[in-house]
Amino acid sequence: MDRDTYAKSFAKRRDGEWAEMFRWVPKMYRAAASRLEKLERQAERQFPGVFDRLEQARDAAGETIPAWCWLPVTHIQQVLADHYPHRTTRAPGATGAGLAVMAASDAAGLQAIGAWRAAGRHMVNIQCDLKAAQPSERWDGDIDAFDL
């Protein structure tokens, strides 16, 4: 499902379509998506064009990256070092080790945002049969019933 179709399924106007016991899901999605989109915009301002460069790094790495991993943090650190050496987060008076930790933090944040983008910006996937459940039908505690 593409980004727009997925996001539209969580539009406020559709909240009433959810069984009462699941009406918290679209609110949670909208809050999380809003925060992640803000972080994505901040990352693009700090590192212009970074996600295109990271996708290129992913393509270049090819089969060396496991299918479950979008891009390892070490690869992202290398892209930052190669293309954005003066844009990584800095703190006044930070030592070399402290600056390295901040750069690693930038890379980890970019990794999380990149993985979210690569997955189609999905955060929650409630199975169709659960969306149709009646409020009188209660979760029996079986975690397999949820695809979160």
Side-chain angles (χ1 to χ4, degrees):
M1 181 181 303
D2 68 52
R3 175 185 183 186
D4 293 332
T5 303
Y6 181 75
K8 287 176 186 171
S9 68
F10 293 102
K12 282 185 181 182
R13 64 179 169 71
R14 297 194 63 194
D15 283 1
E17 296 174 20
W18 290 79
E20 186 177 343
M21 65 190 282
F22 296 112
R23 291 204 177 139
W24 58 271
V25 172
K27 293 174 188 162
M28 178 195 67
Y29 169 83
R30 288 191 298 267
S34 174
R35 177 74 174 130
L36 286 166
E37 287 167 353
K38 179 181 176 185
L39 292 171
E40 182 180 21
R41 286 189 304 274
Q42 289 172 343
E44 279 285 354
R45 280 193 303 275
Q46 185 174 0
F47 307 106
V50 70
F51 293 108
D52 290 336
R53 290 185 194 274
L54 294 174
E55 286 296 339
Q56 291 168 358
R58 171 97 174 89
D59 291 343
E63 299 286 323
T64 63
I65 298 174
W68 54 264
C69 180
W70 173 66
L71 190 62
V73 171
T74 55
H75 285 70
I76 296 170
Q77 286 175 302
Q78 190 61 54
V79 169
L80 292 178
D82 291 348
H83 300 284
Y84 306 97
H86 302 294
R87 290 187 170 267
T88 54
T89 302
R90 305 207 176 260
T95 64
L99 292 173
V101 168
M102 285 182 257
S105 176
D106 287 337
L110 289 169
Q111 199 281 337
I113 296 166
W116 172 67
R117 288 168 48 111
R121 292 172 164 80
H122 297 348
M123 287 172 280
V124 63
N125 181 17
I126 300 295
Q127 297 173 1
C128 293
D129 58 336
L130 290 177
K131 284 196 276 188
Q134 298 302 315
S136 61
E137 297 176 25
R138 297 290 181 224
W139 176 47
D140 66 2
D142 180 9
I143 196 65
D144 293 334
F146 290 86
D147 183 14
L148 298 175

